[in-house]
Each structure stands twice: as C-alpha cells, then as structure tokens.
Amino acid sequence: MAELITALDVQTRAEAVEKIKTIGESVGFYKIGLELFIAEGPDVVKAVKDLGKKVFLDLKLHDIPRTVERAVRSAGKLGVDLATIHACGGAAMIRAAADAAAEFGERAPKILGVTVLTSLDENDLRDIGISGRTAAEQVQAMGRLALANGAAGIVCSPREVKIMRNILGVDALLVTPGVRPAGADVGDQKRVATPADAVRDGSTHLVVGRPILAASDPAAAAVAIRAEMDGAV
Ligand code: C5P
C-alpha cells in the first residue's frame, strides 16, 4: 500500500510538532527538508520520531563519496527512514550512500536518488554540460544509475511514474511530489496528478504539502487524501 508523506514545510520545531498533532493518525510519515533542518537541526528529526512518525530527510546530498557516506551514517543514527541524494553525484557517491545506509540493517534508511530537478529545463541542462539528451532521457539515465548502485528508488514527478516503473522494475520506490486532489489549488506545481492517479500509476510514496498543511482542517484533508489513495487500489 502506498504511503502518504506530508512535507513539513514550516520553519520551527514547535510548528512542526503542532502540525503533526493536528493532522493526527492518518499521516505516519513526514518529510523534513532543508528549511526546517537548517533552522532546527537533528532535534527536529528526534521530535518527529518521538511522536511515532517516520521521517524522510530530504537534504539532497551531493558531495564526494566519503562525505556523503559519513552524512548518511549520521542520518542513520538519527533513525531516518528515507533520505535523498543527487544521482548526478555519480556511481561511487551513490554506492557510498547505499553502503553506509546498509550498516543499519533492518533500520537502514532507504536511499532515494534525485534525478533531474524539476526546476531545470533543457537550456539549463545544456548550461551545466548535459547536452544530446532530453530532460526525460536524463531522468531515465539518472534513475538507472541510482538503482544500479544500490539506491532503493527515486523521487519523480507523478507524470513520470509509469515509465520509471517500467524502466526500474517492480521493487523500486517511486516517491512523488506534485500531488493535488481534484479541485485543489495547484500553487507553483506545474505537472500535478491526483492521489488516485499517482497510486494507480505505481507511486509508492506520495509527498503532499500545502493541500494538507494549508487546509482549514488539515486532519480532514489528510483523511480525504488517504481515502482517495485507498480507493485507487
Ligand atoms: O506543498 P506541496 O505539496 O507542493 O509540497 C511538495 C513538497 O515536495 C515540497 O516540500 C517540495 O519542495 C517538494 N518537491 C516538489 N517537487 C520536486 C521535488 C520536491 O514539490 N520536484
């Protein structure tokens, strides 16, 4: 069954804890990104874990293999469940992250590769030296590289899920932001899908931020999204 992850896009640990308590039982998994982690540090991960929730630490690591290996080891000690790295950091870096995670055995964080940032178009890719490939081809190449070197899955747009499922096989985790219930405000997301479509196409984890956090009743919004996901299978 696909998991619902709420993006904790808030600035303080107090706000994060309050949001989690307000949202309640229907969300068991939270994404902590750079904003909150830089503001509050590892304590915010502990606070979320103490509430009995799983943590997706979305810091998009990209550095030399040794540094990434040590960062993943630190994340493993915090008990995070999912963590992101940039697949374009290369095979050795991805392998270093996967091996460091594996040291934690059953509690190992699962490593997700970020393929191509959705903010980049083909002109941006050319500027950074990636030419002769479309953005979609680069996503596929980075996805293959990530999985071939021990990553458990990738982060991708719900519009890419079907093709990435075919390319990466049945076991790959496909974690998709850009999810909007029908009729919801899309905000700055351009390529959205509904929770039901994302699940049907093969997403294993749906990351939903504003449709829950900014709802007048966040608990009800989460319950409705969960129900839509469950109804899709
Ligand atoms: O509020 P919203 O549902 O758009 O939040 C989605 C979350 O997923 C945010 O934390 C956003 O930074 C993240 N994300 C995304 N698109 C990507 C990668 C990450 O929306 N391509």
Side-chain angles (χ1 to χ4, degrees):
M1 194 172 59
E3 298 227 44
L4 172 59
I5 303 179
T6 297
L8 271 178
D9 292 330
V10 298
Q11 287 183 342
T12 67
R13 182 172 52 158
E15 255 181 288
V17 167
E18 190 226 289
K19 287 287 185 196
I20 293 169
K21 289 184 174 163
T22 305
I23 293 166
E25 288 311 304
S26 55
V27 177
F29 217 138
Y30 285 88
K31 180 170 90 74
I32 296 173
L34 285 166
E35 177 188 9
L36 182 57
F37 191 78
I38 290 175
E40 294 282 10
D43 282 355
V44 73
V45 176
K46 294 200 188 94
V48 178
K49 296 292 293 186
D50 286 348
L51 290 168
K53 307 298 184 183
K54 292 194 257 189
V55 171
F56 169 14
L57 188 61
D58 185 21
L59 302 183
K60 300 186 177 71
L61 303 175
H62 187 180
D63 209 315
I64 59 172
R66 180 175 186 273
T67 300
V68 169
E69 175 191 318
R70 293 161 81 93
V72 168
R73 204 169 282 131
S74 296
K77 287 181 189 153
L78 289 176
V80 312
D81 301 277
L82 289 174
T84 43
I85 60 170
H86 275 286
C88 62
M93 191 205 82
I94 300 165
R95 177 59 63 193
D99 288 350
E103 291 168 12
F104 293 86
E106 276 181 13
R107 291 182 36 253
K110 295 201 169 71
I111 301 297
L112 301 173
V114 173
T115 57
V116 176
L117 292 173
T118 46
S119 52
L120 302 180
D121 64 17
E122 271 141 34
N123 290 328
D124 298 312
L125 292 180
R126 209 178 41 240
D127 289 344
I128 58 171
I130 298 162
S131 49
R133 262 186 195 161
T134 63
E137 286 165 347
Q138 180 67 2
V139 166
Q140 293 168 24
M142 291 301 100
R144 285 197 185 92
L145 184 73
L147 274 281
N149 287 285
I154 62 166
V155 180
C156 65
S157 150
R159 303 280 184 92
E160 293 160 353
V161 163
K162 255 191 203 164
I163 183 160
M164 295 313 289
R165 173 64 66 212
N166 282 336
I167 290 172
L168 301 180
V170 287
D171 292 331
L173 303 184
L174 299 177
V175 178
T176 55
V179 175
R180 290 291 179 272
D185 184 2
V186 299
D188 55 5
Q189 296 283 8
K190 293 199 174 80
R191 300 171 67 235
V192 299
T194 66
D197 285 338
V199 169
R200 254 182 241 120
D201 287 347
S203 290
T204 56
H205 298 73
L206 279 58
V207 178
V208 182
R210 287 160 289 182
I212 294 175
L213 290 192
S216 55
D217 184 344
V223 167
I225 291 172
R226 183 71 255 174
E228 190 180 334
M229 289 167 66
D230 293 343
V233 267

